[in-house]
Amino acid sequence: MAAVRPLVAGNWKMNGLAESLGQVDLLLDRIMAGARLDIDIMICPPATLIRPMAERLEGIPIAVGGQDCHMEVSGAHTGDVSAEMLADAGAVAAIVGHSERRSDHGESDAIVKAKAQAAHRAGLTAIVCVGETEAQRRAGDTLDVVGGQVAGSLPDNASASDTIIAYEPVWAIGTGLTPTEDDVAEVHGAIRSQLCELLGTGEGAGMRILYGGSVKPDNAAALMAIDNVNGALVGGASLKADDFYGILEVYGAK
Ligand code: PEP
């Protein structure tokens, strides 16, 4: 079976003004000066920066994604952005179900699934986030919680080419804490088995499963070497070109 091509995606969250596009220029400088990176790279800026970033990156193999999308195409949903709008602005993917959306906006698995399907409707790759809280981990419920989120959030007819899972333990996001390598391997292995059961071994084995939660240049190599970790979803460390490149560098050509 062909190896799963890794993806490292940066999630800028609600950070970034026009001047922040300078970080993209710095990142390009680092990439051009470094070893060949045999991976896919994506940046998910706030919606306001999708078009200028996509224009800046035209012809350069760094994709631009959105951080969320509404499930409808258009309508009376003040402040929301549809998947079609993201695509129109130059995005090729949308993160859905990030834990900050699930907690701040009360998004259920059913809502996340509808958003993932909206992403597909607009031709975007859906990056579906799942992950347990600290209390759920302490209670020994991690695999049940994550398994339930995968089952409930995965869009209909998901395939390896249009859907990515991001395992992000909620307690590891922005905290500097990370699970042990064994814990990451256990959860990613369980997600892989579940995807193979739900989608068949072809699609299930080929679907990327990213790890997210305090990935930094100094822990990236260990995290990215774990079985069934097919890249990273990176928050804080994606905001500075040097840090983000330090994570990408893990995938430099040998
Ligand atoms: C995230 O928000 O997706 C994330 C992983 O954040 P951080 O890398 O800052 O923990």
Side-chain angles (χ1 to χ4, degrees):
M1 178 172 312
V4 179
R5 185 173 165 82
L7 165 71
V8 177
N11 171 15
W12 282 18
K13 310 193 187 194
M14 198 174 73
N15 296 293
L17 302 174
E19 65 187 21
S20 312
L21 294 172
Q23 290 299 317
V24 175
D25 297 333
L26 287 175
L27 179 66
L28 289 176
D29 289 347
R30 300 284 181 284
I31 291 173
M32 301 301 273
R36 191 175 62 87
L37 301 173
D38 207 7
I39 54 170
D40 291 332
I41 305 170
M42 183 185 295
I43 303 174
C44 302
T48 49
L49 291 182
I50 289 175
R51 185 180 296 282
M53 188 177 287
E55 284 173 358
R56 196 87 145 225
L57 291 172
E58 203 171 336
I60 292 165
I62 298 181
V64 179
Q67 300 176 11
D68 176 51
C69 64
H70 195 276
M71 61 187 81
E72 306 291 342
V73 177
S74 61
H77 303 289
T78 303
D80 279 317
V81 175
S82 71
E84 283 74 7
M85 290 168 177
L86 296 179
D88 185 54
V92 299
I95 299 170
V96 293
H98 190 283
S99 64
E100 288 152 15
R101 300 288 316 176
R102 289 179 186 262
S103 63
D104 296 358
H105 300 269
E107 294 187 0
S108 63
D109 289 334
I111 291 173
V112 175
K113 176 175 178 171
K115 290 182 170 205
Q117 292 186 172
H120 287 177
R121 182 189 66 219
L124 304 178
T125 296
I127 304 176
V128 179
C129 299
V130 297
E132 81 286 2
T133 63
E134 191 179 6
Q136 289 165 334
R137 174 161 283 275
R138 268 204 249 102
D141 293 338
T142 298
L143 294 185
D144 284 348
V145 169
V146 170
Q149 289 176 334
V150 170
S153 310
L154 202 63
D156 290 339
N157 303 315
S159 73
S161 59
D162 65 17
T163 306
I164 296 168
I165 303 292
Y167 168 56
E168 300 205 306
V170 178
W171 52 273
I173 293 177
T175 60
L177 303 172
T178 50
T180 66
E181 289 165 32
D182 284 350
D183 287 342
V184 174
E186 182 186 35
V187 179
H188 278 244
I191 295 172
R192 176 70 67 215
S193 302
Q194 185 178 9
L195 292 175
C196 289
E197 264 169 44
L198 291 170
L199 307 174
T201 46
E203 297 303 326
M207 189 170 285
R208 292 193 270 206
I209 307 173
L210 310 183
Y211 169 77
S214 296
V215 179
K216 311 275 182 232
D218 61 359
N219 63 17
L223 287 164
M224 298 304 109
I226 299 169
D227 268 0
N228 290 305
V229 173
N230 310 121
L233 183 55
V234 184
S238 69
L239 294 170
K240 291 266 180 301
D242 282 343
D243 291 343
F244 196 48
Y245 183 70
I247 294 168
L248 301 178
E249 220 179 3
V250 165
Y251 293 103
K254 289 144 199 110

